[in-house]
Structure formats: structure tokens, C-alpha cells
Amino acid sequence: MATPVSSTSPQSWATGGPPVGPETLEVLHRWWRAANYLSVGQIYLLDDPLLREPLTVDDVKPRLLGHWGTTPGLNFLYAHLNRMIRDRQQSTLYVTGPGHGGPGLVANAYLDGTYSEVYSDITEDSEGLRRLFRQFSFPGGIPSHVAPETPGSIHEGGELGYSLSHAYGAAFDNPDLLVAAVIGDGEAETGPLATSWHSNKFVHPLNDGVVLPILHLNGYKIANPTVLARIPDSELLDLMRGYGHKPHEFVAGFDDESPLSYHARFAELLDTVMDEIAEIKARAAAGDESRPTWPMIIFRTPKGWTCPPVIDGKQVEGSWRAHQVPLASARDTKEHLATLEQWMRSYRPQELFDADGRVEADIRALAPEGPLRMSDNPHANGGMLLHDLRLPDFRDFAVDVPVPGGSIAEAPRVLGEWLTEVIRRNPHNFRIFGPDETASNRLQAVFEVTDKQWDAEFLDPQVDEHLARAGRVMEMLSEHQCQGWLEGYLLTGRHGLFNCYEAFIHIVDSMFNQHAKWLKVTREIPWRRPIASLNYLLSSHVWRQDHNGFSHQDPGFIDHVINKKAEIVRVYLPPDANTLLSTYDHCLRSRDYVNVVVSGKQPAPNFLTMDQAVAHCTRGLGIWEWAGNEAPGEDPDVVLGCAGDVPTLEVLAAADILRRELPQLRVRVINVVDLMRLQDAKEHPHGLSDRDFDTLFTTDKPVVFAYHGYPWLIHRLTYRRAGHSNIHVRGYKEEGTTTTPFDMVMLNDLDRFHLVIDVIDQVPSLRSRAAGLRQRMMDARLEAREYTREHGEDLPSVREWVWPDAGETATEGAGPMYDATAATGGDNE
Amino acid sequence: MATPVSSTSPQSWATGGPPVGPETLEVLHRWWRAANYLSVGQIYLLDDPLLREPLTVDDVKPRLLGHWGTTPGLNFLYAHLNRMIRDRQQSTLYVTGPGHGGPGLVANAYLDGTYSEVYSDITEDSEGLRRLFRQFSFPGGIPSHVAPETPGSIHEGGELGYSLSHAYGAAFDNPDLLVAAVIGDGEAETGPLATSWHSNKFVHPLNDGVVLPILHLNGYKIANPTVLARIPDSELLDLMRGYGHKPHEFVAGFDDESPLSYHARFAELLDTVMDEIAEIKARAAAGDESRPTWPMIIFRTPKGWTCPPVIDGKQVEGSWRAHQVPLASARDTKEHLATLEQWMRSYRPQELFDADGRVEADIRALAPEGPLRMSDNPHANGGMLLHDLRLPDFRDFAVDVPVPGGSIAEAPRVLGEWLTEVIRRNPHNFRIFGPDETASNRLQAVFEVTDKQWDAEFLDPQVDEHLARAGRVMEMLSEHQCQGWLEGYLLTGRHGLFNCYEAFIHIVDSMFNQHAKWLKVTREIPWRRPIASLNYLLSSHVWRQDHNGFSHQDPGFIDHVINKKAEIVRVYLPPDANTLLSTYDHCLRSRDYVNVVVSGKQPAPNFLTMDQAVAHCTRGLGIWEWAGNEAPGEDPDVVLGCAGDVPTLEVLAAADILRRELPQLRVRVINVVDLMRLQDAKEHPHGLSDRDFDTLFTTDKPVVFAYHGYPWLIHRLTYRRAGHSNIHVRGYKEEGTTTTPFDMVMLNDLDRFHLVIDVIDQVPSLRSRAAGLRQRMMDARLEAREYTREHGEDLPSVREWVWPDAGETATEGAGPMYDATAATGGDNE
């Protein structure tokens, strides 16, 4: 791979290009034939890649895998974009929505030379061709889809729906980049794709690059026609206009038009479109602030274009039957084998490759040079372009913590102040994404230095607060869009974070899956450089959704995430503001991870000074000696574990009760920031050794563990530990709607009173000795519940509880810990 | 609740209604004022519900929760729909996309009398009003959103995006039902909503009901304007036309127009729209088969309409500041308290309620009678309308299994034959949903009796196979749409199943969450009748995605599902065709569950006769004596557990090797169909008692467990068991792309050879004794891998292995068990 394209290429966005003469049209057709030939070859052939001999059964793969249907269209577009790039020197990224067309993208990367540069064993000769064909969807070879292994790709496309979001993510802050986003008409039926057209209201015509959507309307999915291919043309045009685009239609392949004629038409169309884009860029440069109507192309061609039209009496080309492998039984009958040979020879490979199997020079010359080749575009290997963020020292943003619990803060608000400085120092490669909740999630300080980017209509600035044509904050009420934009932004070498309600981050479960898989695979590909991690901030979490109710309560994203490869996923539950700062500094410096950070947004006590926070986060978990009452040199009687801010608060309140009521009981309090520390070192790189774990949690003492999420996750993480059977976990159990915070923790038995009961139940010596205390705890719960039913808010003694040492010094932020009004004020969904 | 509305109401879909006179307009306005008053009252008041006294701080709730912004618009529409229903006797379901408008829907249900019928303590007098207000978003009360507790609702709306899909699901097979679907303009930005507009190409104008989408364009979300409110009017109209609708615009509340004037305009518009619908219905009845252009309404009004326009100098009405509680500090300052009082009195409650607090008779009379009231519409309490399916005896569809492994079948293909008969016998209340994969998932037999419903353009019937204007199979390439349609269909009292790729069912993780939560809550609401279960069939599962690669491999939906309430979720992994039949018969009979059934679609051996299958499924798990070699009356030396079809095959192949190589080793084979049986009886209603579990799995012998999904799930389910530390699980570990089935199981150490190695490693007496066998097993793995690298398919001895007793009788279905070509043939995505 080569050095980045200059972002000030003088040729960018100039109108007009050289006319496309007949020789070029001929070469366009030759490239297309060569790419189609190589695509078919990958699907079918084991040997004799250039058909020097008559095709035999042994030349054909035993398992025919891959997808032909979308491939010829992808190849056609690739050829024409090559021509345009060559003529205009326009840096262009190719996003393949129909990711099943893997053979096509590999074929094009081979034709322009990138493939052999990246994979030196796939040489540019007959033997290289043989290997190219053989490896495709073959054991030990490459996947059948566009994948991390495919040069030039940032987008897998196995799971459909995200091509346009990814394309816009790539375009943000790349003002000279064109992103040609091919959208399959199958993909176009998905929800995420259907809303992603509106991305054109979130792109800045000068600061950002240009996305050119190309709707690849080949008419069919696996077994059905597509919706957009079966509505009247006028409706389709209305739809595209309604999405804010200027649609250009291109139709070919359904009649006897000569190839040179349709190539001429498409080349002209592409130049028209590029000129329109250049004019928009020029108008914007001249100060025009109206929202541009960006062009898009409707590319209507037959599915499986150029394959046998009819097989066994049934229409194949131009039908869903061309979706995958049109001649699945090529080895079974002589007729089918002959049909395959005839099909392959129809591309006249002898005219496209020389005697050594090298692609003819005129074809190669259609491609641009070096990193202008789409397969070699450095934006598609974002790690090449990645710069470290200039991070302000998070210690400078620390909250003061005179004693544990001695001050109160909304942790994400503190984080927001640090992020403000991050944005100030990194104005071009860091963005914050979120569905309408950045201020609600308490990151509003960032609006001192930036705005929410928006290119639709503006009204009164008093109402359209912090809304501007350019800004670092991207908000659209679509978690799919936030995730897709951020992925595209990261994959092209930038940094960012996604703040979201914890319950609704499940909306992008499957997108997370695909991104985690992408990262996992890229780690095994030497030429793929590491990219910035995907950082989540889930600050409207399960325990503070008492007012929004049951539908907003779900802490299961953590469970979902940790099914993925241990080297990719990290989960952090910082208990207070300083630990959140330290955690996020780490996250923004990390590479190739998915970091999930859960931190509540309501006023809550700060426990650790910044120095303590750094040490605690570095350890990932640790004993809070000030909270327990251990005897030096002795094991405790009971361990109170906690992970998550609300569980930590309840555990401390329980420890306070225990210290007062049962002063002779030796209690150890352990807080866990880095959840993966609980797992075995063999299972996760952050995992504790058994020795460390046993030393902390003991092997024989009861552990009462208060956890943020579903309780069984703690069991899953610790089931191999010696003392596992002593661990008793409290967490969220899908016990539904209540409307005060403490009522909610009580409903799930995670409250301080029940934790004390749990300790009494688990420590054998307490069972009779503490029977009175046990009953008082039950009474306290009843009293707390009764109070909420009567007054609609939590008992003052509960919500105003502070850690005893902190009573006198808790001056900063006057709010109580379970703030009765904090949930209100327009901040929740 | 009352008896169902007749579906042959003579009034349905007639054009023309009585003119709306000035008295009616006045009543419309009075209803709206009353509904708005009751909505504000719920958000703010603890006491003095009719403001008989001056408002005091003590009358105001301490925590102000709920959402005002969307509520007045919802109330306006409800009032007008009431008038239309009364005049036309048109059964109408109201779907509240902006589910945050909970107070509005409760207010309307109270005004029409339904609320007091359902909740008898909320009486129709001052005391009832006090309770109505107090309970709203109050501890022990009702949620702030439209929820299962809300009469007339099938749609929570806490998580946005599914209102239109739910509405269409409700309309299918309800030809006389109107579904008024209010879509928030925030919700309209989500992906699922953006594609769900295309549902109008999947509805039949005669057989199905009518969805009337009402886009509630109030302009703002939590903190931002909405996209659709900030594009030019012409673009919005193009968009709606592009979606295939005829848009009607209504704008009110932005100027000084008198209420009676805008009420008159909207009443007229609604009559126009209803007439258009009636004309479409009439044309369809007359044989017109062209796709109708159904009307929709763009309803543009200020957010928070009628609340204080400005508070503290900032615009509130008509801005995002009205989203939640406009006067969050009503208790804090005298001015704000006065503003609240003034706002509430602006509705002039004394004119709307009589001295006893009863709503005035003229207002009540605006509502239709009985079940024509939208809050009392029986379709919103689908269990009332639910009929058991007429199920054919699944035993009649059994495959012949002369000896275990003695025949081969594609299990879903067998299921498809039974489903064909289910469809034949239940032509109006059973549908199959899937994203373009029903045939790929081997259910194609159903196309003998039905088609895929489609109302877009048709081409050559040779290409448009099984596509028709009416049919029982619903296919659109959107998992969100499939799930949303099915949910709407089930919630209104019908039956169905959703077939999907296992990896991509994660796309609807969050929708599953919301449906499971809905079911959990409805079980606690006496007047909500049980509905049919939501049934998944995941037949393109992780182990047969070797060809599609890593992106298609994810068995984690099971992990996701079992985080929800145990009484709701069921997971089945039938190992063969007869067990799949027996399982699905059970699923289609069940109520209020989510049933996840995973069953591969490739040719695989049948192990159990139908009698055995029924017994095995009834037990949920059991010893397969024929597969082990236990000595009577003795514990085995090792237990081989398996759950899932591929793991079962590998365990049997391992058992075969062990029997041959180590005949003295006592092996027990246990197959698990019902995964929840592994859990503790205290955790899940299907859970085994410890005694049963210990008897089966022993408490001290090694258990090597081959599991379909992520291995740690088995640990999570069994961590409380006495013998848990002896359980060694093999499953999917995110080891990625290969391209043969056996290579794939090898990569995850789930293959027969590795299972034998696991047994050797776990049984202490074998460690030295079986060292030679251990090495041969490692060699066998290497050989198998080498073969795939050379030949591109699995070793014949691996893929043609059959259970030894079956060698002679395996005649049915000639295919090998890992079929080299089964993955091909256009059947995969």
C-alpha cells in the first residue's frame, strides 16, 4: 500500500473531463469482460484458468459456492469508475452494498494489480490465476463475500443494510473523497438502509466528502423480486426525490443494444453526475449555504447479466435464479458442463490475457495509478491514515474527592468537559454520535466548542440550539445510523464514540457482531493496520429507568458483547466520575477493540481521588479498604463485590449498615471496573490468574456480589474459580416497572437492606445471631416501599444517605444520591 | 370487554357519512379539551383533580414524569376518529407510534368509559379522577408510556420504529378493520419505520384490513428538530408518493385560526380519506386488481400544542422543550405554579365535568358504543379473538426410522409438509413470515397450497414463482418487518412463525426484548387474554454457514433470549425430523411464549421414530441407550451430552469410535431437546430437579457436552448443579471462515475426533491407556483438514459416516450427512 492521497489534489471536483472516445469505450468493455471472466472463474474453476484446453469435470470445483447475480453489475460500475478516476484524478472509495459479490471485487483488485501487491503468491500469470480461482470460497482460502481480506473494502455486506451509513461515515471530514456506494435492491428493503438515505441531511458540502449512491436495481433477491424494482418508475423517482436526491436513471442489458452504446451512455452519465457534484462543491465554496440536491444513480440491469439466459428451460439471466451459482450442477451433466464452458468462452479470455496469463496492457491502463486505484485507496485501510488523538490530560478534569463519597457529580458531565477539550484539540478526526441524546446523556459541555451537524432547514436559533451546518456531534433518531456512521468513520482512520440508552443499544446488536467479526479477522491480516476502537458510552442505564419503565430496562448488551472474541471486547463499569475519566482516556487511546462503558448520568457520589482512580482502573478491580473493616493479616468473614455505579452505592450503604450493626464482622469490599478481570486469564487477556482471584475473593468465604446487569453473567465469568460456589449475585432480573430508583433496586433485591440480608444468610455464624437485624432489614424495605406508595418518591433517609466519613465534606453538588427530580427536566426519552 | 365486532358490519367501507355540523365540531373541541386536561392532570396532580380550589404545591407530584409533547396531537386524532367511527360504525384500532403519549391514551380510554370498566377502582367521579391522576407514573401505579396496561393498545412505543409494521400485522386477514397508525416524526427517522411504509405492497385490498398512516409531524424529538419536518413540503410529498401513498396534508395550531375552523377542516379531511378508502375497497370488490394508492395523512401541529407558549423567556409550545414535562419546576416557584394552574384552567374543566366529576354527557356521546370504542376494540386484546389452530396430527407426517440413523431427511422440509396442511386447514389465521428465505429454509412444500403475498408489479409467472396477490407467506428482506408484522398479527389474536437465518435474527434482538416484556406484563393483567406464542424457526444455523463464512455465523440469539423472564422463553434444539415435528406441534399450541427452535436444513440422519420422538420431546432430554454402552445398574465412566443437530451427529460419531476403540469404556449419551431442562427447577419452569439432573449426568463423572451455540451458555445453565465442575463443553467460539462443514466443526474443536480426545483427557483411567488412540485422533483431524485443502470438500469417510446399526437400512434419501453440494443450488443468501 502506498502513502495517502493528498487531500488537496488540485483535480478534485473540477467540472468537465476529457471526452470518452471509442477506444476507451472498447477498453471499458474489455475490462468488464475480464472482470466477469475472473468472477466466473473463481466460482467454478480449480484448474486451467484460461481454458487453454477443453473444460473437464476435474477442472470444476466439487462445491460450487459464491454469488454471481450481483457481480456483473458491480464489475460494470467498477470499470466505469476506474475511467472516471483516471480522467479526473478523483480519490474514490468503492462501498459494495451487495457484499455477496465477492468474486467481482477480487477480480477488479486483481486487474488493477493491487491484489498481487497485497498477496504476493497470487501472481500476475497463469499460475497466479489458478491460485486466484482455487482459493475463492475454498478451505484455507478466502471468503465468498467482500470481506476484510478484500483490498479496498471497508464493508462486508454479508448482513445487509449498512452500505450507505458506512459510506457517509467514510465521507465525513474527507472533503476530497468520493464514496461510490453501490446499494443492492435487496438491501434497499432493509430498515437501516431505508433511513440511511436521509444521511444527505447530515453531510457538509465543503468539509465532508461526497457520497454517490448507486442503486443497483437488478430486480431480484434469493427467491423474490425486489420491491423497488416492481413499483412504477415515477414512484421510484418520487422516492429518490423525496429522499432529497436528484435521480439519474440508467437501464441496460434488456435489449439488443450494443455494448459500446451502453458503455457510452453510462460514461456520459457518470461525467454528468461528476459535473453536478463539482458544481455543488463550487457553489458551496462560493458561500451558497442552501442544502444541495446531491445526484444519485438508478442502475437497472439484469440480475446475473451475461450469464446463460436460459438453463433447463428456465430463465436464469434476469431472474432470481441467477442469485447464487447459475449452473450448480456443472459437474453432473455433459450439457451443463458445455453450457459453463460456452459461458466462460463468451468473454473471449484469449483476447484479455496474454500467453503468460497476464492481463493485457490496455485493460490494466484503464485503472488509475497507485493509491487512486479503488482497491488501493488508503481510506479503505484506515489504520494507514490514523493519527493518535491529541488528548488533554484527564487528570486536569478530576473532581475533588476529599474523602470517599465526599463529593457528588454526574459522571458523564465531567467526562463531557474533558471531551470538550478533546474536540477542541482534534477538530477534524473525532466525532460524537448518538440518537438525540448527547445532552440528555450529560455531555452537553461539548456544545461550548461545537454543534450538532445538520443540513436540513433551520428555524429560530433559540429553538435550534447548537444546531449548525458543521459540527462534531451527529444526532439522528436511528441507532443504526449512529453505529453505521461511526463504523465508517473509524474504518477510514478516525476516532469517535457512540452514546446511547443502554436498553436501546440492542437495536445494533447485529451491527456490533459484524464489526467485531471484522476486527477479529483484520487482526490476522498483516496489511490491515489497526484502527481506533469503537467506544460506547451507555449512560442512561437500566437502574435509572424507573420513570421510563420496563421497556427502557435492559442491561443485556454486555452479555451480547462478551460472546465475541476476547481479544476484541472490553467492558467497563466505572463507579464514579474520576474512574470514568480514566477509563475513557484509555478507550480513546486503544486500537481494534470494542469498548463498552456503562456509567450512570444522575448525581452520584465520588469515591476515588484521581490518583486512586488511575490505580484502580489500572488494576481493573480492587479492594476498597476504607469501605471494609478487615483485620490485618486475616481473611474477611464475607466479601461484598460490586460492579456498576448503582450496585456500588448499594454495597457501600450495606457495608455502612454492617459496620454499625455488626462491628465484629470482617467485611471486604471489592469494586470491579473492568468486568473481564473476573474471567480466567486463559479466557480473556484481562482475566485474573486464579491466584490473584483467590487472594481477593477467597476460596471459602461467602461473596455477595451486586452487579449492574443480569446476575448470571457473573457466574458465567467466574464458574471456573475455586470459590465459585460461594458467590451469590444480585442483579437485574426483568422485574418491571416502578417509578422510583430505590423501589427499582428493591424489586430486584439489589438494595442495601437485602444485601445485608444476603450477608446474614450466607455467613453461618450470623444466622441466629443476626436474626433481629435481618427482621429490621425486612421492615426497612417495607417502610421504603410504603413511603414511595404514599409520597411518590424515595424515603429521604435512603436517598440522602452518604458514606459516613463523607457526611461533613459532601459539599460539592448539593443533590442527593437518588435525586427525586434528576430524572425530569426534559432529559429523558 | 365485549364480544367481537362482526366482521360483516354492513356499514364498513361505505362512502359518505352524515355532514359534521357545528354542534359536533363543538363537541370535538370539548372532547379534545377534556382529554388534554386529563393528560396534564395525570402528569402533574396528586389531588384536587378538578381544581375546585386554588392550586397548591401539595397538589403537585414531587417527581414530574411523563411526556406532554406528543399528547395533544394524539388526543386530537382520537377525538376525530371517535366521530368518524360513530358516524360510520367503522371498527378501528388505534396504534400509538409515539408511545410516550401514555397520558393521552389513558385520558381517552377514561373519557369513553372503557378505563373504568377495566379498572373498577378508577371510578367516573372526582375520586376516580384523583386516582387516575395519582397512579400515573407513580410507584405502584401505571407506566408513563402506552403499555400493556393501557386498554386499546397493542403497541408499547417505548422503543420506537415498529408502529406501522404492527399496524399492518393487525390488518392482515381482518378485512373490515381500519388501523389508524400514528407515526411520530421522531420514530419516522428509525430504520424499521422507514422501510415499513413499503408494507402497502404486501397488503390485499379485499382480504386484509386497511392501514391509515398518520404522520404526526410535530417537528421535534428530545433535543432536536426532526428530519421530515425540516425538508421542503414538496420533498415530503414526493417521499410519501414514492412510498406509494396519496398524501393529504393538514396543518393547524401555528396561527390564530379558531378551533372550530380547524376541527371542521380535519373532520372533512378524515371523511375524504375514508371515502377514498371505501372507493378502493369497492373497486377491489369489483375486480380491479391494480395496486391501490392508499391515502395517508400528514398531520402538522405544534409540539406540546396548547401548553404555555413561553416559559422563562424560552419558547416551549412548538419546540423540543415541550417533549417531556414543560413545567418541571412547578413546585419550586410561585410563578411556575401559577403558570401550571393557568394552563390547566385554560381547558375550562368546569365546563367538561359535572359537579360529581363525571364527564359531561355530550362529550361521552362523541365516542361510539361498546367495542367500537377504540379502547375497547377486541382486536387490541387479541386473546379474546384467538381460535385454536386446527392442527393435523403431526404423527401422520413422521419419517420412517427403521433403526437409529437409518434414514436421512432435511428436517424443515418434513416440517414444511405438516405446515402445508396447517395452512390448508387454517386459511385465515395463520401466516409464515421470513426475509426471502422460506424456500431456502426448506419449507417450500407450503407453496403447494399457498403463495407469497405481494401487491407490487408482476412479470412472467415463470419467474414470479409462487407470487400472488393473496397468500399465507410474507417475505420482505427486512427482519424488522417480518418480526413487526408477526407481532401485530399475534397481538390481534392469530398464529404464525418467523423463519430466519440464525445469525441475522440478532437484527431483531431489541424487538424480541420488547415483545417478551409485553408478554411478561400482560400475564399480570387479568383482562389481557393469552395470545399465541411467537415462534422462531432458525434453520440456516451457525454450523452450516461454512460456505457463507464468518459473517453468517452467530448462535447467540439463544443467549439473548434466555435473559428474559423464564416463564416466557423456551428454546428447543430438535436433533432430527420427527423431534422437530413434535416440537413445532407443541409450539403452535402454546400461548404467551417465545419459542426459539433451531433445526438445520441440510440432509441429516433421523434417529428417533415418532413414538420415541414424542417421548423424548416430552421429557425434553434423555439418555439414548442405543447410542451408549452402559452396564445395567452401574454409573457410566463418562457422559456425552449433546444439544443441537450437528453436535448430536458428532457425539454419535464419537460414541461410535469409543465403542469400537475402547469397548470396555461405559459411555452414556444424553440428548437435550429442551435447553431449559438443564436449568434449575427454581430458575425455569422446565428446569430439572437436582435429583433428576444428578441421576442423568451423575455428580462425579466427566461430562463432555457438545453444544450448538456458545459453550459458556451450558455453564450458565448448570452452574448450580452438583457435578458442574465435571462438565466440559464444546461449542462455537467465533472461529471464523472455512468452507466445508467438517472443517468448521474442527475449527471449534466440536468434531468427533476432538470429542474422543476430550473423553480421554477427562477420564483419568484413560490418560495413559488411550495415548495411542489420542494420537490417532489428532492424526485423523490433520488428515481431514489436509483433505479439504486439497479437494475442497470433506473427507468421504467423514461425510459418509453413518451410525453403525444404520449401515444397511439407510435407504431413504441417498445424501451423505455432510452433503458436499447441499449448500449450493441457489438456496443460500
Side-chain angles (χ1 to χ4, degrees), chain A residues 271-448:
Chain A
D271 277 331
T272 302
V273 163
M274 291 304 297
D275 284 352
E276 286 178 7
I277 290 170
E279 283 158 19
I280 290 171
K281 280 279 184 183
R283 280 201 303 274
D288 182 351
E289 296 212 333
S290 62
R291 172 162 67 88
T293 303
W294 297 103
M296 62 79 59
I297 295 173
I298 298 169
F299 180 72
R300 194 189 288 262
T301 57
K303 185 145 188 161
W305 197 6
T306 70
C307 82
V310 175
I311 298 173
D312 296 337
K314 293 199 167 174
Q315 184 185 338
V316 176
E317 186 194 27
S319 90
W320 53 269
R321 296 191 189 93
H323 176 74
Q324 197 197 4
V325 179
L327 273 162
S329 52
R331 281 163 64 110
D332 298 348
T333 73
K334 219 179 255 184
E335 292 71 26
H336 284 186
L337 190 69
T339 306
L340 174 60
E341 181 166 5
Q342 189 184 352
W343 173 17
M344 294 201 70
R345 291 197 190 279
S346 74
Y347 299 115
R348 305 193 299 282
Q350 69 283 4
E351 300 174 7
L352 310 172
F353 299 89
D354 69 16
D356 295 331
R358 198 178 164 82
V359 65
E360 294 285 357
D362 66 317
I363 297 176
R364 162 65 61 86
L366 184 71
E369 298 289 325
L372 277 175
R373 293 173 298 179
M374 288 182 283
S375 296
D376 191 29
N377 192 301
H379 297 286
N381 186 5
M384 287 185 64
L385 305 177
L386 184 67
H387 296 286
D388 291 344
L389 286 172
R390 296 187 189 100
L391 291 180
D393 191 339
F394 63 94
R395 293 169 190 83
D396 297 342
F397 297 79
V399 295
D400 191 35
V401 186
V403 295
S407 64
I408 299 277
E410 293 162 310
R413 194 186 291 268
V414 176
L415 180 69
E417 286 162 15
W418 180 70
L419 289 174
T420 303
E421 192 57 30
V422 174
I423 288 171
R424 203 194 307 267
R425 295 184 187 199
N426 302 276
H428 302 302
N429 64 341
F430 177 77
R431 292 201 186 209
I432 293 176
F433 300 79
D436 193 27
E437 293 152 12
T438 301
S440 165
N441 287 331
R442 301 291 191 272
L443 302 180
Q444 63 269 62
V446 301
F447 295 125
E448 292 166 18

Side-chain angles (χ1 to χ4, degrees), chain A residues 563-685:
Chain A
N563 274 338
K564 289 289 165 285
K565 270 292 177 199
E567 54 268 36
I568 302 298
V569 296
R570 303 285 181 269
V571 178
Y572 299 100
L573 296 155
D576 69 359
N578 286 338
T579 48
L580 176 62
L581 276 173
S582 173
T583 298
Y584 237 91
D585 178 75
H586 174 75
C587 292
L588 288 192
R589 293 176 190 277
S590 70
R591 299 287 180 270
D592 277 353
Y593 295 154
V594 176
N595 297 307
V596 180
V597 182
V598 186
S599 169
K601 67 186 184 184
Q602 307 295 353
N606 304 309
F607 300 111
L608 303 188
T609 67
M610 185 48 89
D611 286 346
Q612 291 167 332
V614 171
H616 187 54
C617 290
T618 306
R619 281 192 299 262
L621 85 180
I623 298 171
W624 282 5
E625 289 188 18
W626 51 268
N629 61 346
E630 299 186 57
E634 286 177 27
D635 261 1
D637 300 316
V638 65
V639 177
L640 289 177
C642 49
D645 46 17
V646 166
T648 299
L649 180 68
E650 291 304 316
V651 155
L652 291 172
D656 178 28
I657 297 169
L658 289 169
R659 293 201 324 183
R660 281 186 284 110
E661 300 281 347
L662 300 167
Q664 71 283 40
L665 184 77
R666 297 302 176 183
V667 178
R668 172 176 294 173
V669 174
I670 296 179
N671 180 269
V672 181
V673 181
D674 176 351
L675 199 63
M676 296 299 100
R677 295 292 274 163
L678 293 180
Q679 209 164 10
D680 196 301
K682 291 190 288 290
E683 297 276 324
H684 195 284

Side-chain angles (χ1 to χ4, degrees), chain B residues 16-239:
Chain B
V20 180
E23 302 78 9
T24 303
L25 294 175
E26 180 63 43
V27 175
L28 277 164
H29 193 52
R30 284 164 59 75
W31 178 291
W32 189 41
R33 282 161 49 205
N36 286 343
Y37 180 81
L38 294 183
S39 301
V40 181
Q42 289 175 77
I43 294 173
Y44 291 92
L45 295 194
L46 274 178
D47 213 337
D48 192 14
L50 288 171
L51 295 181
R52 307 288 194 206
E53 308 288 335
L55 187 65
T56 70
V57 167
D58 290 342
D59 295 333
V60 179
K61 296 183 178 181
R63 298 182 85 210
L64 295 175
L65 304 173
H67 296 78
W68 166 251
T70 187
T71 299
L74 292 171
N75 290 342
F76 187 99
L77 294 168
Y78 204 101
H80 279 266
L81 286 165
N82 265 344
R83 195 279 308 164
M84 181 280 293
I85 296 166
R86 198 192 58 184
D87 286 353
R88 295 178 183 240
Q89 297 292 298
Q90 172 60 56
S91 177
T92 303
L93 191 67
Y94 192 79
V95 172
T96 314
H100 294 66
L105 275 289
V106 169
N108 286 292
Y110 183 83
L111 288 176
D112 74 14
T114 313
Y115 209 87
S116 300
E117 292 172 23
V118 169
Y119 300 107
S120 51
D121 61 323
I122 308 293
T123 45
E124 300 191 61
D125 53 19
S126 298
E127 176 58 17
L129 278 177
R130 197 185 67 86
R131 291 190 186 150
L132 182 79
F133 288 2
R134 187 180 176 85
Q135 68 166 9
F136 174 79
S137 205
F138 200 81
I142 63 167
S144 66
H145 297 174
V146 179
E149 289 88 342
T150 317
S153 174
I154 61 163
H155 175 85
E156 217 271 358
E159 179 175 307
L160 303 176
Y162 319 124
S163 59
L164 211 40
S165 305
H166 283 166
Y168 277 95
F172 295 141
D173 294 318
N174 275 325
D176 296 324
L177 182 67
L178 178 74
V179 187
V182 186
I183 300 146
D185 50 353
E187 177 181 21
E189 293 180 17
T190 67
L193 199 289
T195 202
S196 65
W197 293 101
H198 291 296
S199 301
N200 56 14
K201 286 107 199 170
F202 295 86
V203 71
H204 190 279
L206 270 186
N207 303 351
D208 298 327
V210 176
V211 173
L212 173 61
I214 303 171
L215 179 63
H216 185 5
L217 210 65
N218 68 27
Y220 295 93
K221 298 169 287 196
I222 300 179
N224 282 295
T226 58
V227 170
L228 296 189
R230 295 294 182 92
I231 59 178
D233 218 43
S234 62
E235 236 172 78
L236 182 60
L237 293 170
D238 277 346
L239 186 64

Side-chain angles (χ1 to χ4, degrees), chain A residues 185 217-221 223-233 251 254 300-303 315-321, chain B residues 289 452 454-469:
Chain A
D185 50 352
L217 210 66
N218 69 25
Y220 296 92
K221 297 168 289 195
N224 282 296
T226 58
V227 169
L228 295 189
R230 296 294 183 93
I231 59 176
D233 218 43
V251 184
F254 296 99
R300 194 189 288 262
T301 57
K303 185 145 188 161
Q315 184 185 338
V316 176
E317 186 194 27
S319 90
W320 53 269
R321 296 191 189 93
Chain B
E289 296 211 332
K452 294 176 280 193
W454 175 262
D455 200 16
E457 290 168 7
F458 289 86
L459 294 179
D460 179 355
Q462 291 295 314
V463 171
D464 288 351
E465 276 181 8
H466 310 308
L467 214 59
R469 296 180 72 236

Side-chain angles (χ1 to χ4, degrees), chain A residues 63 224 324 509 739 828, chain B residues 63 224 324 475 509 739 828:
Chain A
R63 298 182 85 210
N224 282 296
Q324 197 197 4
D509 272 4
T739 49
N828 59 340
Chain B
R63 298 182 85 210
N224 282 295
Q324 198 196 5
E475 293 201 337
D509 272 4
T739 49
N828 59 339

Side-chain angles (χ1 to χ4, degrees), chain A residues 526-812:
Chain A
W527 58 267
R528 286 261 177 209
R529 304 276 181 86
I531 61 170
S533 301
L534 196 167
N535 302 304
Y536 293 101
L537 177 65
L538 308 180
S539 56
S540 297
H541 68 50
V542 57
W543 296 107
R544 297 309 186 88
Q545 296 303 316
D546 49 288
H547 57 294
N548 270 319
F550 198 34
S551 66
H552 285 52
Q553 297 166 4
D554 191 301
F557 188 61
I558 298 171
D559 303 62
H560 178 69
V561 160
I562 66 173
N563 274 338
K564 289 289 165 285
K565 270 292 177 199
E567 54 268 36
I568 302 298
V569 296
R570 303 285 181 269
V571 178
Y572 299 100
L573 296 155
D576 69 359
N578 286 338
T579 48
L580 176 62
L581 276 173
S582 173
T583 298
Y584 237 91
D585 178 75
H586 174 75
C587 292
L588 288 192
R589 293 176 190 277
S590 70
R591 299 287 180 270
D592 277 353
Y593 295 154
V594 176
N595 297 307
V596 180
V597 182
V598 186
S599 169
K601 67 186 184 184
Q602 307 295 353
N606 304 309
F607 300 111
L608 303 188
T609 67
M610 185 48 89
D611 286 346
Q612 291 167 332
V614 171
H616 187 54
C617 290
T618 306
R619 281 192 299 262
L621 85 180
I623 298 171
W624 282 5
E625 289 188 18
W626 51 268
N629 61 346
E630 299 186 57
E634 286 177 27
D635 261 1
D637 300 316
V638 65
V639 177
L640 289 177
C642 49
D645 46 17
V646 166
T648 299
L649 180 68
E650 291 304 316
V651 155
L652 291 172
D656 178 28
I657 297 169
L658 289 169
R659 293 201 324 183
R660 281 186 284 110
E661 300 281 347
L662 300 167
Q664 71 283 40
L665 184 77
R666 297 302 176 183
V667 178
R668 172 176 294 173
V669 174
I670 296 179
N671 180 269
V672 181
V673 181
D674 176 351
L675 199 63
M676 296 299 100
R677 295 292 274 163
L678 293 180
Q679 209 164 10
D680 196 301
K682 291 190 288 290
E683 297 276 324
H684 195 284
H686 285 196
L688 279 184
S689 71
D690 277 339
R691 173 179 298 188
D692 286 342
F693 187 93
D694 294 348
T695 304
L696 284 169
F697 288 95
T698 80
T699 57
D700 57 354
K701 294 296 185 294
V703 179
V704 173
F705 199 108
Y707 171 54
H708 171 84
Y710 294 110
W712 29 81
L713 183 69
I714 300 301
H715 291 293
R716 179 189 141 171
L717 294 173
T718 60
Y719 68 85
R720 289 173 191 262
R721 304 298 189 176
H724 172 253
S725 59
N726 305 316
I727 302 179
H728 306 274
V729 187
R730 293 294 172 190
Y732 181 71
K733 295 182 301 182
E734 289 286 319
E735 286 298 341
T737 302
T738 61
T739 49
T740 75
F742 195 70
D743 214 29
M744 168 113 182
V745 297
M746 276 199 293
L747 200 61
N748 289 283
D749 299 334
L750 185 84
D751 59 286
R752 56 198 69 175
F753 306 126
H754 207 288
L755 293 173
V756 171
I757 293 172
D758 286 338
V759 167
I760 294 168
D761 291 347
Q762 299 304 330
V763 178
S765 64
L766 294 179
R767 285 199 193 145
S768 57
R769 186 150 59 97
L773 176 61
R774 193 180 194 286
Q775 183 164 318
R776 275 189 284 129
M777 293 294 102
M778 296 181 73
D779 291 347
R781 304 184 87 219
L782 284 175
E783 183 197 357
R785 181 151 301 162
E786 283 307 303
Y787 188 93
T788 65
R789 299 306 183 264
E790 174 69 21
H791 298 277
E793 58 185 342
D794 283 321
L795 203 64
S797 63
V798 162
R799 64 187 153 90
E800 288 164 13
W801 174 88
V802 290
W803 182 249
D805 304 337
E808 315 238 324
T809 54
T811 52
E812 189 177 320

